[in-house]
Amino acid sequence: KRRLSREEQGCRELQDAKGTVEEECERLRSQLADKGEVVRALGADKQDALACATGLQEEVEGYRRQIKELEARLGEALRERDKMTVKAADTDRALDAAQHKITLGSEEV
């Protein structure tokens, strides 16, 4: 009986140890699954970040094109302003000349 008790005791200890090992395996599987979810989420976040960066880069390129267009239009406007300034100066000189002639003409009378 004593021997049987020791064998039974050993079997019980082995079964307890087996239960403990199974519980630990299940806990590790659960942790691994959780970490897998984290890795998948990080992968999705990375994809989202890449898509966002690509979108931002496209937006920046759009702004660069707009800036170039605006710079070209500004250059045109500045050239037009310069032409108008020259015309205004020509007009002022013509008016001054006409005024001078009028003044000279009124002095002769």
Side-chain angles (χ1 to χ4, degrees):
K1 286 187 177 184
R2 218 175 201 191
R3 192 169 197 200
L4 191 58
S5 290
R6 283 186 187 164
E7 287 176 6
E8 284 176 359
Q9 177 99 15
C11 280
R12 283 188 190 139
E13 287 174 4
L14 285 173
Q15 285 179 342
D16 288 347
K18 180 182 172 191
T20 302
V21 167
E22 287 173 348
E23 287 172 10
E24 185 64 15
C25 282
E26 186 55 38
R27 187 182 69 77
L28 290 173
R29 277 189 204 104
S30 176
Q31 281 183 351
L32 185 59
D34 291 346
K35 289 181 182 187
E37 286 298 316
V38 168
V39 168
R40 280 189 287 283
L42 288 174
D45 286 349
K46 181 180 176 184
Q47 292 296 335
D48 289 347
L50 287 172
C52 182
T54 300
L56 288 173
Q57 190 169 359
E58 290 171 358
E59 196 172 332
V60 165
E61 289 302 318
Y63 288 139
R64 285 184 180 148
R65 281 191 297 277
Q66 286 180 354
I67 288 169
K68 284 183 180 181
E69 288 172 12
L70 290 171
E71 285 174 340
R73 287 171 47 195
L74 176 61
E76 264 181 55
L78 290 174
R79 285 188 293 279
E80 193 63 31
R81 182 201 64 186
D82 291 345
K83 286 180 191 175
M84 297 303 270
T85 302
V86 168
K87 284 182 183 179
D90 289 346
T91 303
D92 284 346
R93 280 192 294 278
L95 286 172
D96 287 344
Q99 184 67 38
H100 184 67
K101 283 183 182 179
I102 291 171
T103 305
L104 287 177
S106 65
E107 287 177 4
E108 290 178 7
V109 175

